[in-house]
Amino acid sequence: MHHPSSQGPIGHRPSRSTGGAFWRSLEELVRTPDFQAALAREFPGLGPLAEAVDRRALLRVMGASLALAGLTGCKAEPDETALPYVVQPEGIVSGNPRFYATAVTLAGYALPALGKTYAGRPVKLEGNPDHPAAAGASDPFLQGALLDLYDPERSQAPRHLGQPTSWSAFDDAVAAMARDMDGRQGEGFRILTGAVTSPTLSRQIAALTQRWPKARWHAFEPVNDDLRREATGMAFGRPLETHLLLEEAEVVVSLDDDLLGPGPRQAAHHRRWSARRRAMQAGQGRCRLLVAEPVPTLTGGAAEARLVAPAQRMAAFVEAIAAGLGAEGRPGALSDAERGFVDRAVAALKAHPGRGLLTVGAQHPPEVQAAALLASARLGAIGTTLRLTDPITLAPPDGAQSLERLMSDMADGAVTALVVIGANPAYAAPAGLNFEAALAKVPLRLHAGLHYDETAQACHWHAPLAHELETWSDARAVDGTASIIQPLVRSFYDVRPLHAIMAALSGGSDASDRTAVEATWKASMGEEFDARWRAALVRGFVAGSAPEVVTPSLATAAPTLAPDGEEGGLAVVVRPDPTLWDGRFAHNAWLQETPKPFTKITWGNVVTVSPRWAAENSVVQGDEVRLSVGGRSITGPAFVLPGQEPGTVGLTLGGGRRVAGEVGTGLGYDASALLETARARRLAGASLERTGRALPLASTQLHQAMDGFDFVRTVTGPDQDASTHGQSPGPGTAAPAGGPAPTFYPARRWDSPSWGMAIDTDLCTGCNACVVACVAENNVPVVGKAEVENGREMHWLRVDHYFSGDPAAPRSYFQPVPCMHCEQAPCEMGCPVNATVHSSDGLNLQVYNRCIGTRTCSSFCPYKVRRFNWFDYTSGDPPELRAARNPEVTVRARGVMEKCTYCVQRIGAARINAKEEGRAIREGEVVTACQQACPASAISFGDVTDPGSLVSRHKLSPRNYSLLEEANTRPRTTYLARIEDEGEAPA
Amino acid sequence: MSDVAAGAPDAFGRVSEEITGIPFHFPHRGTWWVLFGGALILLLIFFISVGVLFFFGVGVWGNNIPVNWGFPIINYVWFLGIGHAGTLISALLLLTGADWRNALNRFAEAMTLFSVICAGLYPILHLGRPWLFYWMAPYPNTMALWPQFKSPLSWDFFAVVVYLIVSVLFWYIGALPDFATMRDRARSRFAQVAYGLLALGWRGSARHWARWRQAYRLVAALAVPLVFAVTASYALLFAAGLVPGWASTVYPPYFFAGAVFSGFAVVAMIATVLRHGLGLGHIITARHLDLIGVFLLATGFMTAYGYVAEAFDVLYAGKPQELATLMDRLTGAYAATYWGAVALNFLPLQLLWVRRIRAHPVALFLVALAVTFGMWLERYMLVVTALYRDWLVSSWGAYHATFWDWALFAGMLGVFLVPFLLFVRFLPVVSVFEVNAAWAREARHG
């Protein structure tokens, strides 16, 4: 009873007319028409669309569309069982937060995090304290990543030619492309990603190139370490990752290397540097930092000595320092100031053999970096202050030339299909590569990303990706330790995980992101998978996954450095933005409203120029200038930045986004429009001229001179007294007399606990992690550019920045200013309705529902830390943003005053815990959001009536002082003076 | 002052008819309607700007951090200062028996009343949540909370509320006999009933006069110290804060002098306009103008002394923050308000040394106008220059009034002008019986 059709198409043998008697692979089989027909019957989505449409069919489809339109509201839910809490699950108390270890990524690297969730809703990210890379340290990007999750402007549906479409249509397109590629072994198929450290993504890329051997993977990361990798190749014979062990380095000479600046290494470097700094404060060794740089950076701000020098002089300094340390070669001529700096650096490095480090920024030519690496090696740095491992990021086949290679192939028409995943080259690629023109030559372009951005707009298809906090993935931190990224929340948009899209492309069997990640780790964890996987999820990282330390042989010949040629015109230095990075955070209103450390500008970037150049060209703050170089130009607002090299113009990436939603579009300029190649973020021969317009600058601090006051005090050694003597002649000439001011009233006795804070300005670098953490923790509203211009920013915690000294080469001081919680608070006296009162535990409270908005408290506040709800900033928020709010903190209404509470909700939680357990609140049990976020642990908080608490010990330090002591407000927040210039004497 | 009250003795008795006749046979009806129409437009602007304010919030103004207080507080102090002159002229001169006040007191009291209303509205509108302004009052509430009595705003609230009540009482009690006269002279039934209700059954019996005299003097005795209390309370609103440029004990007397100064300036303006418009040259005589000019000159010098004392205070104490604020006032971004205040307050004032200029209505009006503007600039200067640069350099900011700041200010002038014009139109602008009595005394003793 054999019937051919009962076997179906698979049983049906191909006809002889194809030329072969037998089919050799399933691939050959599936190309038969019968199979295709059966496939179309079974999976209509994969089949081709009906070709001819007649009038009847059209009307039928239209009628059906109308009838079914209502069904589109029914979203397919994952087939997982969800049950309400009829019976309270054990171990879960609704209303209590739960913490999950996970990570978010920046430039491919994991920023290890602990996510705090309420009822399955993440509300705060903290650094993962167990992670070996940063040990709980965080940075502004980690703190701000939460808002990306809840961004209402995230892409929420696939698009075809810009129009929203369905996932099945997208799947059809991918399947069609896959069929096509199957036939050509992937010839002409290219995939472009950002930097990759994810083992699962690496595995999927490998699977993809295995499936289609002629397909090619490219990587483009706008801010990358490609040149550092090349430098290690020159110095050590093969590309390596450099890990700077700053906790070991008593002397660091940084030549335009922004060690403490923004980026994936910021938290880790802060953790290490602050450990060294604290040891120095305790009298154990030195912590010297000497910096030469053209544009002020956080590293320069923290340095004991900072030489203002053009970027192209770094090669000469490396040569001179290397020569000073005994290397061969004839260094070029140096000016007196340069000679002084080099001599000081050489002396310092020589004084601490094996504990020194010479480093050059990763944006400098590889020869220069290699020379510095060799000089460091000669100092005995390798193994002590400089650790080398294999590269953490996966190198694309063409290495640093990856993007250029892709561009040339695209321009040649060799690329038939391009998939861009999680990168935005249409915005971020250097203008010299002309990405969009080349892209237009690709017949099929797909984009998958978190947002519908410039690249998505230029592609045929766009697929919305799930955020890292709602997907399974993995990534390596800067030390190479891998983290498992686990979702904190189920996607609330119709988006797909990265690994699911990759699985579809690579033809893998991984149905979901979780199985993909598990498959990766099953291979490496072996038999102990279950236990090790569980441990990795709980702790947030895979123990022992950091790469081995390698001890390479040194190159015998020092690389030859190109002579420092005379470059006409102005030099241009393009840096990643401290709050927008390469523009990927342009959507993020928290980060947009975070003031940049030096300029205090929010909402967009500025063109920084030196005071001398500005004076010579009569440019003032906010003048619109046109910067032209090599036939390209940008316009943006000028900012006169003390400490900038006169021949240098400073730019940052991240502005001028063209497709970045309501929040990010059209703010500032796009610096990549000036760049020629992805290799150099430094340009020469630029000209800068005024356009005659003035642009408004949304700055949160208009004046950065201390004007002879002593807001930030300095001492010249760790044990010097900040209140009476030992002040450097620089800032702080108006020293008030020590001791409390006379009073008629008896001293108040404070019950325990009574809260206080001490902020070590010696450790604060101004990185802004605390500011963004405070915004996230306390539901601080974002007010937008116009309101910041109006002086109405809402930040409870601000970081004041002061310059002192010669504007050409000033000293920089950062001072975080939360509420001082004054014991004699002028605000409390001023309020007529008891809306601001003192608590028994020493807090200055603000009672929102009692406040009627007279603003007397703010007028009377000498520190101006109070913020007023001039408008209704919160009730118009979309539901996504409401979900991002911390349920423990009141959302403030229009017309009420607000300010820093010392995170009273955290104090309350600790008090409840302590009461339940019948004990006092322990030291260290209350950690404020700013304190927790600070990567340098510059903030200490605790009970000031307990002499053993860290904060009490800090307040006993001779460096302790009160801000505006002369106002006699007796602030509970005090500062530790900065230790300025440890001097040349040996420790 | 015998010649002050002395109109022509034969005018005795005619004054009642003349003054009370004004509402019934109003001269310049056309002009009045134009003015009233303008005032109504301003009032409409008031309602619109308050509507916008209530709908959007105080963010529609230019206030910010650090300049939390802007136009509302500036104008509050300005209006309140103007109000004080009416009380002082009326009550203080009543108690000291200066008969010449009788030509001025009624409209000066009306001016006080309406400007106190404007002044009282401003701090309420200034609030972030104005609908909760009554929380400043000590009333029994479910939250079991008193106001915070240490706050100068609490003192201020009590002072202004009491001052408003006393001003109303003083004006109304003083006008009672005249309402009765109006009732008696009114022709239309409506006017008779309306004035009759206002007159509270006044029949002019000796007993009525005795009671009235007690009540009037009692309220006057309350009102005079209240002027000092109110100026002190809003002066302490500034002085009690820690803000450099505010925290000074010179403020209460300084504000008192400034208040009386600006008030007399507005009295001078109203007197010259009414005198001209209603043909009251024989009642508000050149001698009255002369006396107002003398008062203006005297209080102007007291105010100038306040300027000097404040600067001396700062220089003597030598605190760097205070010195910086003084320098900001003299040379900073808002120096124009300081020097504008000095120029407008004190330079034209020197013309008043000359009796001929003092007694000349146009000249007096112009000098008074300059002082009115100058005192407004002074209020602006005191509020803004102290706040825009206070203790921490990092918090320095700037302040610019927005459209809605100006709109509310214009609207508030409407709130002042509409009732004042109604007063001019429908009530006797000069105290009839007191002028009569004064003239009678003159006739007896003359």
Side-chain angles (χ1 to χ4, degrees), chain A residues 536-556:
Chain A
L537 290 188
V538 170
R539 298 192 68 191
F541 59 94
V542 182
S545 56
E548 301 268 313
V549 177
V550 297
T551 317
S553 55
L554 300 186
T556 45

mmCIF file of all heavy atoms in Angstrom, chain A residues 536-556:
data_model
loop_
_atom_site.group_PDB
_atom_site.id
_atom_site.type_symbol
_atom_site.label_atom_id
_atom_site.label_comp_id
_atom_site.label_asym_id
_atom_site.label_seq_id
_atom_site.Cartn_x
_atom_site.Cartn_y
_atom_site.Cartn_z
ATOM 1 N N ALA A 536 28.234 30.657 39.907
ATOM 2 C CA ALA A 536 28.510 31.816 39.070
ATOM 3 C C ALA A 536 27.328 32.778 39.067
ATOM 4 O O ALA A 536 27.503 33.998 39.084
ATOM 5 C CB ALA A 536 28.827 31.365 37.644
ATOM 6 N N LEU A 537 26.123 32.211 39.090
ATOM 7 C CA LEU A 537 24.950 33.084 39.100
ATOM 8 C C LEU A 537 24.824 33.812 40.429
ATOM 9 O O LEU A 537 24.491 34.988 40.481
ATOM 10 C CB LEU A 537 23.681 32.278 38.837
ATOM 11 C CG LEU A 537 23.508 31.719 37.434
ATOM 12 C CD1 LEU A 537 22.131 31.111 37.278
ATOM 13 C CD2 LEU A 537 23.705 32.818 36.395
ATOM 14 N N VAL A 538 25.111 33.097 41.494
ATOM 15 C CA VAL A 538 24.956 33.706 42.815
ATOM 16 C C VAL A 538 26.004 34.787 43.035
ATOM 17 O O VAL A 538 25.699 35.882 43.485
ATOM 18 C CB VAL A 538 25.039 32.620 43.908
ATOM 19 C CG1 VAL A 538 25.137 33.250 45.283
ATOM 20 C CG2 VAL A 538 23.830 31.700 43.820
ATOM 21 N N ARG A 539 27.241 34.477 42.686
ATOM 22 C CA ARG A 539 28.310 35.437 42.956
ATOM 23 C C ARG A 539 28.442 36.475 41.856
ATOM 24 O O ARG A 539 29.039 37.522 42.062
ATOM 25 C CB ARG A 539 29.639 34.712 43.124
ATOM 26 C CG ARG A 539 29.617 33.749 44.305
ATOM 27 C CD ARG A 539 30.993 33.276 44.640
ATOM 28 N NE ARG A 539 31.812 34.353 45.179
ATOM 29 C CZ ARG A 539 33.128 34.252 45.360
ATOM 30 N NH1 ARG A 539 33.743 33.150 45.014
ATOM 31 N NH2 ARG A 539 33.809 35.256 45.867
ATOM 32 N N GLY A 540 27.934 36.173 40.676
ATOM 33 C CA GLY A 540 27.980 37.157 39.608
ATOM 34 C C GLY A 540 29.168 37.016 38.686
ATOM 35 O O GLY A 540 29.330 37.818 37.779
ATOM 36 N N PHE A 541 30.013 36.025 38.925
ATOM 37 C CA PHE A 541 31.137 35.823 38.017
ATOM 38 C C PHE A 541 31.585 34.368 38.107
ATOM 39 O O PHE A 541 31.274 33.678 39.075
ATOM 40 C CB PHE A 541 32.299 36.756 38.341
ATOM 41 C CG PHE A 541 32.837 36.597 39.740
ATOM 42 C CD1 PHE A 541 33.912 35.754 39.998
ATOM 43 C CD2 PHE A 541 32.260 37.280 40.804
ATOM 44 C CE1 PHE A 541 34.402 35.601 41.276
ATOM 45 C CE2 PHE A 541 32.744 37.126 42.086
ATOM 46 C CZ PHE A 541 33.812 36.289 42.331
ATOM 47 N N VAL A 542 32.300 33.934 37.092
ATOM 48 C CA VAL A 542 32.802 32.572 37.066
ATOM 49 C C VAL A 542 34.186 32.591 37.707
ATOM 50 O O VAL A 542 35.111 33.203 37.166
ATOM 51 C CB VAL A 542 32.879 32.054 35.629
ATOM 52 C CG1 VAL A 542 33.359 30.614 35.616
ATOM 53 C CG2 VAL A 542 31.526 32.176 34.953
ATOM 54 N N ALA A 543 34.279 31.963 38.849
ATOM 55 C CA ALA A 543 35.542 32.009 39.580
ATOM 56 C C ALA A 543 36.657 31.414 38.731
ATOM 57 O O ALA A 543 36.475 30.397 38.059
ATOM 58 C CB ALA A 543 35.402 31.239 40.894
ATOM 59 N N GLY A 544 37.779 32.091 38.765
ATOM 60 C CA GLY A 544 38.949 31.561 38.075
ATOM 61 C C GLY A 544 38.888 31.661 36.569
ATOM 62 O O GLY A 544 39.630 30.971 35.879
ATOM 63 N N SER A 545 38.018 32.519 36.059
ATOM 64 C CA SER A 545 37.919 32.613 34.607
ATOM 65 C C SER A 545 38.813 33.705 34.036
ATOM 66 O O SER A 545 38.801 33.951 32.838
ATOM 67 C CB SER A 545 36.469 32.846 34.189
ATOM 68 O OG SER A 545 35.970 34.004 34.828
ATOM 69 N N ALA A 546 39.555 34.369 34.897
ATOM 70 C CA ALA A 546 40.460 35.391 34.392
ATOM 71 C C ALA A 546 41.601 34.724 33.635
ATOM 72 O O ALA A 546 42.021 33.622 33.994
ATOM 73 C CB ALA A 546 41.013 36.219 35.548
ATOM 74 N N PRO A 547 42.086 35.380 32.594
ATOM 75 C CA PRO A 547 43.164 34.756 31.832
ATOM 76 C C PRO A 547 44.456 34.681 32.637
ATOM 77 O O PRO A 547 44.663 35.440 33.584
ATOM 78 C CB PRO A 547 43.314 35.668 30.618
ATOM 79 C CG PRO A 547 42.739 36.969 31.040
ATOM 80 C CD PRO A 547 41.675 36.672 32.043
ATOM 81 N N GLU A 548 45.271 33.736 32.254
ATOM 82 C CA GLU A 548 46.566 33.550 32.912
ATOM 83 C C GLU A 548 47.446 34.773 32.740
ATOM 84 O O GLU A 548 47.399 35.429 31.704
ATOM 85 C CB GLU A 548 47.290 32.370 32.261
ATOM 86 C CG GLU A 548 46.536 31.076 32.325
ATOM 87 C CD GLU A 548 46.924 30.296 33.551
ATOM 88 O OE1 GLU A 548 48.138 30.175 33.804
ATOM 89 O OE2 GLU A 548 46.023 29.836 34.269
ATOM 90 N N VAL A 549 48.256 35.035 33.745
ATOM 91 C CA VAL A 549 49.234 36.099 33.617
ATOM 92 C C VAL A 549 50.391 35.581 32.774
ATOM 93 O O VAL A 549 50.858 34.465 32.988
ATOM 94 C CB VAL A 549 49.743 36.524 35.009
ATOM 95 C CG1 VAL A 549 50.821 37.577 34.894
ATOM 96 C CG2 VAL A 549 48.582 37.006 35.856
ATOM 97 N N VAL A 550 50.793 36.365 31.806
ATOM 98 C CA VAL A 550 51.903 35.921 30.973
ATOM 99 C C VAL A 550 53.109 36.804 31.237
ATOM 100 O O VAL A 550 52.983 37.968 31.594
ATOM 101 C CB VAL A 550 51.543 35.953 29.471
ATOM 102 C CG1 VAL A 550 50.413 34.996 29.178
ATOM 103 C CG2 VAL A 550 51.191 37.350 29.033
ATOM 104 N N THR A 551 54.263 36.223 31.118
ATOM 105 C CA THR A 551 55.504 36.984 31.278
ATOM 106 C C THR A 551 56.264 36.886 29.964
ATOM 107 O O THR A 551 56.988 35.922 29.723
ATOM 108 C CB THR A 551 56.339 36.412 32.441
ATOM 109 O OG1 THR A 551 55.467 36.121 33.530
ATOM 110 C CG2 THR A 551 57.394 37.391 32.873
ATOM 111 N N PRO A 552 56.051 37.843 29.108
ATOM 112 C CA PRO A 552 56.632 37.752 27.777
ATOM 113 C C PRO A 552 58.090 38.200 27.774
ATOM 114 O O PRO A 552 58.569 38.833 28.720
ATOM 115 C CB PRO A 552 55.776 38.713 26.973
ATOM 116 C CG PRO A 552 55.415 39.768 27.966
ATOM 117 C CD PRO A 552 55.354 39.113 29.309
ATOM 118 N N SER A 553 58.743 37.845 26.723
ATOM 119 C CA SER A 553 60.099 38.375 26.540
ATOM 120 C C SER A 553 59.983 39.758 25.928
ATOM 121 O O SER A 553 59.057 40.056 25.189
ATOM 122 C CB SER A 553 60.872 37.460 25.605
ATOM 123 O OG SER A 553 60.140 37.317 24.406
ATOM 124 N N LEU A 554 60.938 40.594 26.268
ATOM 125 C CA LEU A 554 60.881 41.971 25.796
ATOM 126 C C LEU A 554 61.508 42.076 24.416
ATOM 127 O O LEU A 554 62.442 41.338 24.082
ATOM 128 C CB LEU A 554 61.649 42.891 26.750
ATOM 129 C CG LEU A 554 61.140 42.925 28.186
ATOM 130 C CD1 LEU A 554 61.904 43.986 28.953
ATOM 131 C CD2 LEU A 554 59.662 43.205 28.221
ATOM 132 N N ALA A 555 60.971 42.999 23.649
ATOM 133 C CA ALA A 555 61.595 43.290 22.369
ATOM 134 C C ALA A 555 62.976 43.870 22.634
ATOM 135 O O ALA A 555 63.159 44.661 23.569
ATOM 136 C CB ALA A 555 60.742 44.287 21.589
ATOM 137 N N THR A 556 63.935 43.449 21.871
ATOM 138 C CA THR A 556 65.302 43.916 22.131
ATOM 139 C C THR A 556 65.494 45.332 21.629
ATOM 140 O O THR A 556 66.107 46.169 22.282
ATOM 141 C CB THR A 556 66.311 42.979 21.451
ATOM 142 O OG1 THR A 556 65.837 42.707 20.124
ATOM 143 C CG2 THR A 556 66.433 41.698 22.228
#
